[in-house]
Amino acid sequence: MYCKKECIAMLLAGGQGSRLYDLTKQIAKPAVSFGGKYKIIDFPLSNCINSGIDTVGVLTQYQPLALNDYVGGGAPWDLDRMRGGLTVLPPYQGSTHSDWYKGTANAIYQNIKFIKQYDPDYVLILSGDHIYRMDYNKMLEQHKATGAACTVATITVPMEEAFRFGICNTNKDGSIYEFEEKPKNPKNNQASMGIYIFTTKTLIEYLENDEEDENSSNDFGKNIIPNLLANGEKLYSYTFDGYWKDVGTISSLWEANMDLIGEEPVLKLLESDMRIYSKNNARAPQYIGSSAVVENSLVSEGSRIEGTVKNSILSGGVIVEKGAIVLDSVIMEDVVIKKNAKVYTAIIDSNTVVDAGATVGKEGAGKEDIAVVASGSVIKK
């Protein structure tokens, strides 16, 4: 039995994340670990429940096993509801055709029946690969106040990076008169965050029309938004001024982790009003040995540190033996760094062993030369 919802969320979590290389060979990008105790998908899911949105469809595709297992029935995010809650939506075979999701718009199109079950007035479209905290209800209130067909969340990015994003050109009242997808010569630096609120009727109409267009890329930024503008629909920008990071590359993922540490962290996750929830297995407290040196680092439960750890993020169950050195690195779950091993400016995925005396990365390396080690590797001396 389904009950009517004012707004439901559709979370696009099927991306391959090829620019994360070895980190996403076996898992989807939203399932990649972050900050010692989270997965990337924890952020949009937590934002939903913190914003009062209790019905979320999670659209999966690439390497979905680990992600499906992680989100389960949605309990860690209070999304295990009798009416609504979290539903995993993989591609499925219909009576007339079977298709992988061909683009962001096609993924939502294939799940129109799911949307209609809840008869929502509005649909929130989200990406599963961004690090940020946001109250979607504020965006929804603006959407209703303006009477927009679609509201696009935007954030100010450095002008020199604007060409990497979809750029919203707006009037003084925030209405969008032009949307340029990754323009060579952007007119401004108000970038789309890949977060949209649609009036449901409009969304379904444009998805159905887009599906009939054989020349369409079936993408929100390339097709749906420009089509709305071309037809004179009301589109507005919602300006977000908080922390937001697209962690689709090795350097951006490393940077976002580093933003958690320092005397004055750029990314602060301890504020109680917008808590980020996660699914964590219970572990024993971390142990810091008498010979250990730990500076400006986050060390998660179940870890045992007897060596030196500086400017780093360690997930649960990490072991750093005596004489080992870890600098400027992100170490994921259950990694063992043996005696006298050295790790410099690296991201090491889970269940890896760095043998005694082995070296990962280069001392003094910058964010453009980050060493990446795939899950389950053994690094020999």
Side-chain angles (χ1 to χ4, degrees):
M1 179 179 178
Y2 301 97
C3 61
K4 179 175 174 58
K5 301 286 184 177
E6 180 187 30
C7 181
I8 69 169
M10 301 293 279
L11 175 54
L12 297 160
Q16 182 175 352
S18 58
R19 292 179 299 164
L20 290 178
Y21 302 103
D22 285 348
L23 300 182
T24 51
K25 279 189 174 180
Q26 300 178 46
I27 60 173
K29 182 162 54 171
V32 170
S33 295
F34 177 81
K37 62 178 294 184
Y38 304 103
K39 305 292 186 186
I40 295 172
I41 198 171
D42 287 332
F43 288 80
L45 288 178
S46 298
N47 289 338
C48 283
I49 201 64
N50 288 333
S51 304
I53 297 172
D54 63 6
T55 302
V56 183
V58 179
L59 287 70
T60 62
Q61 179 159 284
Y62 172 79
Q63 294 283 18
L65 184 61
L67 183 60
N68 292 353
D69 179 65
Y70 183 74
V71 300
W77 309 274
D78 193 25
L79 289 169
D80 51 340
R81 304 293 182 97
M82 290 293 291
R83 294 179 173 84
L86 185 150
T87 304
V88 174
L89 300 168
Y92 62 91
Q93 183 170 352
S95 58
T96 57
H97 67 280
S98 175
D99 277 322
W100 288 107
Y101 295 144
K102 294 178 289 186
T104 55
N106 175 258
I108 304 299
Y109 169 80
Q110 288 198 38
N111 290 284
I112 285 177
K113 286 185 178 179
F114 174 82
I115 294 172
K116 288 183 175 179
Q117 287 175 158
Y118 297 99
D119 189 27
D121 300 313
Y122 309 102
V123 179
L124 171 66
I125 310 293
L126 302 170
S127 296
D129 53 2
H130 300 151
I131 301 297
Y132 66 111
R133 291 187 303 174
M134 181 176 178
D135 185 350
Y136 302 133
N137 192 53
K138 292 181 180 178
M139 182 177 173
L140 179 59
E141 289 303 313
Q142 179 191 296
H143 180 83
K144 291 189 286 188
T146 59
C150 174
T151 299
V152 181
T154 62
I155 192 165
T156 303
V157 298
M159 196 67 197
E160 61 271 19
E161 295 182 16
F163 72 93
R164 298 175 43 232
F165 299 90
I167 297 298
C168 293
N169 298 316
T170 61
N171 299 306
K172 290 184 178 180
D173 65 352
S175 59
I176 301 171
Y177 66 85
E178 184 181 30
F179 184 88
E180 297 181 285
E181 181 68 11
K182 299 181 179 179
K184 290 183 179 179
N185 299 297
K187 297 173 184 175
N188 72 75
N189 55 348
Q190 291 303 300
S192 169
M193 299 168 65
I195 299 171
Y196 313 103
I197 292 179
F198 284 89
T199 300
T200 305
K201 181 180 178 182
T202 302
L203 174 65
I204 292 174
E205 175 188 344
Y206 277 80
L207 288 176
E208 290 176 342
N209 291 341
D210 181 71
E211 191 66 20
E212 293 175 3
D213 182 359
E214 295 181 356
N215 297 316
S216 176
S217 301
N218 305 123
D219 183 83
F220 278 99
K222 295 177 182 177
N223 306 111
I224 301 296
I225 302 301
N227 289 343
L228 286 161
L229 288 169
N231 291 333
E233 302 282 2
K234 291 174 66 176
L235 276 78
Y236 279 81
S237 166
Y238 173 80
T239 304
F240 178 68
D241 59 3
Y243 182 97
W244 178 83
K245 195 89 163 180
D246 180 345
V247 288
T249 65
I250 292 296
S251 60
S252 63
L253 178 63
W254 180 85
E255 285 179 340
N257 274 279
M258 293 300 112
D259 283 344
L260 290 165
I261 55 180
E263 288 187 9
E264 191 62 35
V266 178
L267 175 56
K268 301 175 182 179
L269 298 181
L270 298 180
E271 288 88 344
S272 59
D273 59 333
M274 289 290 285
R275 179 181 172 186
I276 302 301
Y277 301 91
S278 65
K279 177 183 178 182
N280 282 309
N281 295 323
R283 294 181 185 262
Q286 56 270 75
Y287 170 78
I288 310 297
S290 58
S291 62
V293 176
V294 179
E295 296 179 3
N296 189 36
S297 298
L298 295 179
V299 179
S300 299
E301 296 88 343
S303 294
R304 189 176 83 241
I305 313 301
E306 297 185 49
T308 297
V309 177
K310 296 182 179 179
N311 306 320
S312 296
I313 308 289
L314 275 59
S315 295
V318 171
I319 296 173
V320 180
E321 295 185 353
K322 287 184 178 180
I325 298 173
V326 179
L327 301 180
D328 306 316
S329 295
V330 178
I331 313 298
M332 298 184 184
E333 296 87 353
D334 300 310
V335 169
V336 177
I337 300 171
K338 295 193 172 181
K339 290 182 179 180
N340 302 317
K342 295 178 175 61
V343 177
Y344 302 116
T345 317
I347 299 178
I348 300 182
D349 208 349
S350 58
N351 300 298
T352 289
V353 176
V354 181
D355 269 348
T359 298
V360 176
K362 299 176 183 178
E363 188 172 7
K367 67 178 183 179
E368 301 305 324
D369 196 20
I370 299 165
V372 179
V373 179
S375 175
S377 300
V378 177
I379 308 299
K380 299 288 187 180
K381 182 176 179 181

